[in-house]
Amino acid sequence: MTFLYCKHQIILRAARPGDGKKLAPLLRAEDRAELAVSHPGENPADLLESFIRRSRESFFILRCGRPAALFGVSAPGWFSLRACVWFLTGDEAAKMPVSLVRIGRAAVKRFLTLYPELYNFTDERYPAALRFIKRLGGRFDGSSKTCGNVRFLYFTFRRNSWEE
């Protein structure tokens, strides 16, 4: 799936090997900090490449030819009813907030056709991520886990809540 918004010069396409290495040096400081705590000692470029490989579907966003975001969905097995949704952003993403929300909503809607429930954890110190998840329809149930000394909040998207 490829979309070109000429006015904003935004390209959304299926992620390819190497896209993680393109985005990694341009990650927002908050995304980089979240990865450092949740995956200690791992190289961000290698980590993003592994996210692409393990995902059933993953997508890459470019703005004005520069990497802006990478996202996807990964399930533990073929017949899973739940899948982990992930979304990582570069500095370029801050220049396209409305488009990013539109793309995010379309992605969640698409992923919910594959799995009735999407989930993940996000760093509670990252207010932009918390707002983004809420804008996309994500729900926080109060559950959390701690990595290092940082609390990560559990969130879900459910097919039924999107149909309401």
Side-chain angles (χ1 to χ4, degrees), residues 30-70:
E30 297 91 340
D31 285 77
R32 184 175 300 285
E34 185 177 72
L35 287 176
V37 172
S38 62
H39 298 82
E42 294 193 44
N43 176 301
D46 294 338
L47 195 53
L48 294 180
E49 288 296 314
S50 75
F51 289 173
I52 294 169
R53 277 191 310 276
R54 289 184 288 173
S55 292
R56 176 169 176 182
E57 290 188 348
S58 58
F59 297 92
F60 191 52
I61 302 173
L62 295 112
R63 181 186 174 276
C64 300
R66 294 179 50 86
L70 187 60

Side-chain angles (χ1 to χ4, degrees), residues 5 7-8 10 28 61 63 87 92-107 132 135-136:
Y5 301 97
K7 180 179 175 186
H8 303 291
I10 296 170
R28 284 183 180 178
I61 302 173
R63 181 186 174 276
F87 205 112
E92 230 21 68
K95 300 173 186 172
M96 50 180 279
V98 173
S99 296
L100 200 63
V101 169
R102 286 182 181 154
I103 292 167
R105 284 183 179 153
F132 183 68
R135 283 187 185 128
L136 299 186

